[in-house]
Amino acid sequence: MEITDVFAEVMNPARRKKTRMRYRVAVIGGGSWATAIVKILSANLEHIHWWVREEEIAEGISTYGHNPLFLSQVYINPKDVKISTDLRQVVAKADYVIIVTPSAFLHKTLEPLKKSKLGRKKIINAVKGIVPETMQVITDYLKTEFNVPASNMAIISGPSHAEEIAQEKFTFLTAASENEELAKTVADFFTNRYVRASVSHDINGAEMAIVLKNIYALGAGIYSGLGYGDNFIAAYIANCLKEMKRFVSHTYPDAERHISDAVYLGDLLVTAYSKYSRNRMFGNMIGHGLSVRVARLEMNMIAEGYYSCRCIHEMNKEFQADIPIVETIYGILYESNNVSSEMKRIAEHFI
């Protein structure tokens, strides 16, 4: 953007407001990723309704323009966002609903809603995990529990940590849906000065990649905690990508899928390597010798890979795909297998 354009926007708020889209959008969730998403949307949309569970967050945004619990450095203009702790009210006011609650809490969060209240909405899934109560990916859960048709669903994904969105660091996202028009609309919601959103039809593959990359990042953290270096972990991630491609292709065949795209490979890389990755952090604790139970207690955020690993393990009883990395990590997390010997054993098969 040219300096003259920036000056014009600052001096003429009315002009800036006219450029924003008039869709009515609800955001469900009050954590870091939800806060980052509201920050992105605020540049593009006039009508944002935001549900949070904690009164403290609602008051912090309404009074001071900051979420006091997550990404407190991010300013959210209270005039641009209507925030509430009343879920039914927030959903009722929107045509598009973006779900951003941690997957571990999703089932309980949505319990107050009648099936009909979500079934007629356009649903955008920004949750990076599975529903532990039903062992389903989010779109499958919404289909079975709320009768949301596939044509009304999209996901937004890609290599994106909320902390970097907060700093307005350039980020690439992907909006995926079977409904091309919906995917394009969602991409428009999320494209601004520092975010670019592309479009994909591969909602199932992209969503499964989200689930898998958290497991693989957890494994990267375990290896790091055990003392393995970057040389080895790079080879580990390359093998994870092969396994991801194998499982996703087995469960959702698609000749047009390119596993090297950012929504697959990029998201895997940033989750496995980044200092902001809670899954890597969780795995690192286990690699350093903490038990799974203690590591979970030490985490002040949800490590989605813990739940995702059980989900994929259960799913694979039906699919019977070759996923030795996932199964090894599952054995460590849920069967108390020896961390060092199991991770060393699986490494012998890497190429």
Side-chain angles (χ1 to χ4, degrees):
M1 185 179 289
E2 298 292 335
I3 293 177
T4 52
D5 293 330
V6 174
F7 181 79
E9 279 199 340
V10 172
M11 297 303 294
N12 190 353
R15 173 185 164 184
R16 177 176 62 85
K17 186 146 184 146
K18 286 180 182 178
T19 64
R20 293 194 292 178
M21 296 176 282
R22 304 190 69 179
Y23 296 94
R24 300 189 307 162
V25 176
V27 177
I28 309 302
S32 298
W33 187 219
T35 304
I37 282 177
V38 171
K39 174 182 169 62
I40 294 169
L41 298 177
S42 296
N44 296 330
L45 299 171
E46 286 191 13
H47 305 292
I48 302 172
H49 302 273
W50 187 8
W51 176 86
V52 297
R53 186 184 305 278
E54 299 86 350
E55 291 282 357
E56 182 181 357
I57 295 178
E59 182 179 350
I61 296 292
S62 299
T63 306
Y64 304 107
H66 295 276
N67 184 334
L69 302 183
F70 302 96
L71 296 187
S72 56
Q73 74 274 30
V74 170
Y75 176 70
I76 304 292
N77 190 337
K79 295 180 180 179
D80 291 341
V81 178
K82 295 179 175 61
I83 192 164
S84 172
T85 57
D86 187 330
L87 181 62
R88 293 186 184 93
Q89 182 185 78
V90 167
V91 170
K93 291 182 176 180
D95 300 312
Y96 294 79
V97 178
I98 304 176
I99 301 176
V100 208
T101 59
S103 61
F105 307 136
L106 181 64
H107 183 71
K108 186 174 182 180
T109 296
L110 298 183
E111 268 185 341
L113 296 178
K114 295 180 180 179
K115 287 191 175 184
S116 60
K117 296 301 181 183
L118 281 185
R120 293 191 295 267
K121 309 286 184 180
K122 300 291 194 302
I123 309 296
I124 303 160
N125 170 32
V127 182
K128 301 181 178 183
I130 57 93
V131 181
E133 289 87 350
T134 63
M135 286 291 111
Q136 291 173 294
V137 294
I138 309 303
T139 53
D140 286 346
Y141 173 79
L142 294 171
K143 287 176 188 175
T144 57
E145 296 294 320
F146 291 94
N147 298 327
V148 181
S151 59
N152 280 4
M153 283 194 284
I155 67 168
I156 188 75
S157 184
S160 52
H161 284 301
E163 293 82 358
E164 292 199 355
I165 296 292
Q167 300 169 50
E168 300 189 357
K169 293 191 174 182
F170 200 32
T171 299
F172 288 89
L173 296 175
T174 297
S177 177
E178 293 180 12
N179 180 340
E180 185 176 1
E181 182 180 351
L182 176 59
K184 289 178 179 178
T185 299
V186 174
D188 287 342
F189 288 173
F190 282 86
T191 296
N192 65 14
R193 179 172 50 82
Y194 53 91
V195 178
R196 295 292 180 271
S198 59
V199 170
S200 169
H201 71 274
D202 185 24
I203 183 171
N204 294 318
E207 185 173 34
M208 190 57 70
I210 293 171
V211 175
L212 288 166
K213 60 97 176 182
N214 287 328
I215 304 170
Y216 297 138
L218 199 156
I222 293 176
Y223 276 125
S224 178
L226 288 170
Y228 289 75
D230 288 345
N231 293 347
F232 172 84
I233 292 176
Y236 162 73
I237 293 171
N239 281 269
C240 288
L241 185 66
K242 291 179 183 178
E243 184 171 296
M244 175 188 286
K245 181 179 180 180
R246 197 159 55 237
F247 187 78
V248 173
S249 298
H250 191 87
T251 52
Y252 302 110
D254 188 336
E256 297 181 15
R257 180 184 298 126
H258 299 286
I259 204 72
S260 59
D261 287 352
V263 71
Y264 313 105
L265 174 59
D267 206 7
L268 170 62
L269 289 172
V270 77
T271 311
Y273 276 120
S274 177
K275 63 182 179 180
Y276 298 120
S277 171
R278 61 192 70 176
N279 289 286
R280 181 185 170 96
M281 185 189 307
F282 181 65
N284 193 265
M285 291 179 182
I286 295 171
H288 273 109
L290 271 67
S291 69
V292 174
R293 184 183 67 83
V294 172
R296 290 182 66 195
L297 291 173
E298 287 290 321
M299 291 285 292
N300 61 358
M301 297 180 289
I302 297 294
E304 301 280 11
Y306 174 78
Y307 301 101
S308 297
C309 196
R310 183 180 164 212
C311 175
I312 297 299
H313 171 79
E314 293 298 326
M315 286 179 64
N316 202 42
K317 290 179 180 179
E318 174 187 352
F319 292 112
Q320 294 294 304
D322 183 25
I323 49 171
I325 298 173
V326 170
E327 294 297 350
T328 298
I329 296 170
Y330 174 85
I332 290 170
L333 297 180
Y334 291 95
E335 297 177 347
S336 301
N337 290 347
N338 183 272
V339 178
S340 179
S341 62
E342 284 296 286
M343 297 305 276
K344 183 177 181 180
R345 176 186 60 79
I346 197 64
E348 297 297 328
H349 300 281
F350 293 167
I351 299 175

